[in-house]
Amino acid sequence: RSPRPGPVQLNARARKPLEPVTTGPADVELTSHVSRLIAEGVTRVVPARPSLDAEAVRALATNLATAERGVIVCGPAPLGHDRLALAVEALSRRLGFPVFAESTSQLRFAKPQPPVLADGLDWLLSTAAFGESLAPDTVLRLGATPTSSALERLLGGAGDASVPSLHVIAEHGHSDPSGRARTLLQAPPWLAVEALMEALGHGAPSAAQVGYTKRLSAANTLVWQTLARVLEGAAK
């Protein structure tokens, strides 16, 4: 018996099933329209950009510049805001304000870092000494409402301290559940902070603010040293 023949492959050119064929007036019109779009390009979409009230920005800049114990608090914000990290660092340096960045703000480990990062503020707020000598007189809050209950106590007055002046910059909604804010700027925080920097111009923090920030920084360092000793003792 002769062996069974193997498979045979035939190559034949066929029309592509999805390729348009210009056979009638409608096909010709469609081809002409597509060719025109390719030549002219598609519609250019230009989204609207928010603008800030210049007078409100100047008033807020004046309030912040006259603070003697000011703090920047950063609440929840989306990831990837490199421009916000740059703006917060610059504002902190210009005003001399220490920065408390909640972990939800995405700024605690962002670059660049502010000169003084008060990452132990939650612990400090639980001490009586904070209310006596370290409570701020001004709080600039950026982003959504912080999740920290300690910060709620701060905004209500820590210990014997008076209630600090609160100024809020948030992109959406009325981000002031406590109803204590003296200023509420509804704008992307990075945009508002850049506008504040322009309104503040060149200058340096007051001597009172510099002294306050040094005391808060020293207390913040002491918090972490104390926690380290406690944890080391518990591990033995």
Side-chain angles (χ1 to χ4, degrees):
R1 295 176 58 183
S2 60
R4 179 181 296 179
V8 177
Q9 176 177 327
L10 295 177
N11 295 328
R13 185 176 181 83
R15 181 178 66 83
K16 296 178 182 179
L18 300 180
E19 186 175 289
V21 179
T22 55
T23 56
D27 298 318
V28 173
E29 183 181 355
L30 175 62
T31 302
S32 175
H33 181 64
V34 171
S35 299
R36 186 170 64 252
L37 283 177
I38 294 174
E40 297 176 356
V42 296
T43 304
R44 181 187 177 193
V45 178
V46 183
R49 291 197 59 183
S51 60
L52 289 166
D53 185 280
E55 184 178 346
V57 172
R58 286 194 296 270
L60 178 54
T62 300
N63 280 321
L64 297 177
T66 55
E68 297 186 345
R69 299 188 312 277
V71 173
I72 297 173
V73 173
C74 300
L79 286 166
H81 274 288
D82 295 338
R83 196 165 178 178
L84 178 59
L86 286 167
V88 169
E89 188 273 339
L91 185 64
S92 172
R93 193 175 296 279
R94 168 63 182 83
L95 292 172
F97 285 19
V99 175
F100 176 76
E102 266 199 351
S103 56
T104 59
S105 72
Q106 324 299 334
L107 295 177
R108 185 164 289 191
F109 302 105
K111 299 295 181 183
Q113 288 283 287
V116 176
L117 187 67
D119 52 0
L121 190 59
D122 272 314
W123 296 94
L124 286 171
L125 284 166
S126 64
T127 67
F130 184 90
E132 294 170 1
S133 62
L134 292 174
D137 63 3
T138 302
V139 175
L140 174 64
R141 211 195 75 206
L142 307 177
T145 305
T147 60
S148 169
S149 59
L151 283 172
E152 275 301 304
R153 293 195 299 273
L154 167 65
L155 298 178
D160 297 329
S162 60
V163 177
S165 174
L166 173 63
H167 305 277
V168 176
I169 297 174
E171 187 164 4
H172 303 292
H174 194 87
S175 186
D176 178 32
S178 63
R180 297 191 181 101
R182 297 189 183 181
T183 305
L184 175 55
L185 283 183
Q186 293 180 325
W190 63 265
L191 183 66
V193 172
E194 288 179 354
L196 278 173
M197 285 296 297
E198 185 175 349
L200 286 164
H202 297 291
S206 67
Q209 180 65 52
V210 171
Y212 169 75
T213 299
K214 285 182 178 179
R215 294 195 304 275
L216 187 61
S217 178
N220 190 75
T221 300
L222 186 60
V223 163
W224 291 112
Q225 290 174 345
T226 302
L227 284 173
R229 287 197 297 269
V230 170
L231 292 174
E232 186 179 351
K236 292 181 179 178

